[in-house]
Every structure is written in structure tokens, then in C-alpha cells.
Amino acid sequence: MSLPSFEEPMRLALAEAVRAGRRGEVPVGAVVLGPDGAVLAAAGNEREAAADPTAHAEIVALRGAARALGEWRLSGCTLVVTLEPCTMCAGAAVLARVARIVYGAVDEKAGAAGSLWDVVRDRRLNHRPEVLLGVLAGDCSAVLADFFADRRR
């Protein structure tokens, strides 16, 4: 898939992020695409609602995709997320064997797919997904900036 072809799934992830923000969650959204490009799962952050520190959008979406496929190995799948994954989510993507991670906004404070850390391309690991960044980055950043600006008011 070429980079522009990820704009539509990123828009789905953005819609999940906006819904999460309306629920009082940090507005991050994720979508998992199957090897054929079909949406297997979509989710927004659920940490507050679930009282679960692991309920990041990526984790929830990866779990949904695994249920949809009936297995934990997500070989050939793509994780599309509005914000660069943290170490937990990057590690989960590696362990799930996703083929690629596509993200919008860079997370300079906690990103683990190239900015602060680069967990997903660590040569010591047995799987290294392809990483594409910057898809609708402005839109993804704006959703987060607006959410936190509203919180400060």
C-alpha cells in the first residue's frame, strides 16, 4: 500500500479518537487492517472507563483483531493509530507480529516507534514491523491539542 492509501483508515482512527475524547479519554484512536486491507477492529482509548492502564486504543484494537481472526498472530495486518505508540503498544504490535504500523502524530514524550525510543525496529527482537509516519499528522495532532487545551480552561 502506498502512503496515501492509509488516509481512509486514519480517518476511521481519528473518528475513534474523537469519540474517546468525548468520553473523557485521551483522544487516541486505532484501527487494525487485515492483510486484504479490510478493517478487523477499531477502538479508542478506554483507560478511564475500564479502569485499566493497558486499555490504550492500540491494545484494544489489537485484541479485537485477534478475536476477529481467531488467533493472536496478526501476520500481514496493519495497525493504524493517530498517535505514535508508547513502549507498551509498540511491544504489543511486535509481539502480535503486525506487518506495519502507520501513525499520524509523533509523541516526543513517550513514542516508541522512532521518536523517543524505537522498539519496533530494535534488531534484537525477532520481528520488526515496517513503520510509516505522518499520515494526517496535522489532524491527529489537532485532536490531541484541542482536547488538552479544553482541559486547561
Side-chain angles (χ1 to χ4, degrees):
M1 284 187 177
S2 63
L3 192 59
S5 66
F6 290 111
E7 286 184 5
E8 184 178 337
M10 185 62 77
R11 289 190 198 291
L12 294 173
L14 274 164
E16 292 292 335
V18 169
R19 280 192 284 280
R22 288 186 188 134
R23 296 189 309 266
E25 304 279 353
V26 173
V28 176
V31 172
V32 177
L33 304 174
D36 62 355
V39 175
L40 295 175
N45 271 347
E46 296 180 3
R47 291 189 312 167
E48 300 299 331
D52 179 355
T54 70
H56 289 201
E58 300 96 310
I59 300 296
V60 177
L62 289 168
R63 287 175 180 157
R67 277 191 303 276
L69 291 176
E71 63 175 305
W72 64 267
R73 286 179 193 86
L74 302 179
S75 302
C77 293
T78 299
L79 172 63
V80 179
V81 60
T82 58
L83 180 65
E84 180 181 0
C86 68
T87 54
M88 175 182 68
C89 295
V94 168
L95 293 173
R97 312 291 197 272
V98 300
R100 83 190 42 80
I101 298 169
V102 177
Y103 68 88
V106 170
D107 187 348
E108 294 176 3
K109 294 181 180 178
S115 61
L116 185 58
W117 294 290
D118 202 353
V119 170
V120 298
R121 288 178 278 212
D122 189 319
R123 295 257 176 234
R124 295 169 291 183
L125 299 175
N126 67 340
H127 179 74
R128 287 177 296 284
E130 174 187 14
V131 177
L132 300 171
L133 63 131
V135 177
L136 300 178
D139 295 342
C140 294
S141 295
V143 168
L144 287 159
D146 291 348
F147 176 81
F148 287 111
D150 288 345
R151 292 276 191 226
R152 287 186 209 104
R153 289 185 193 144

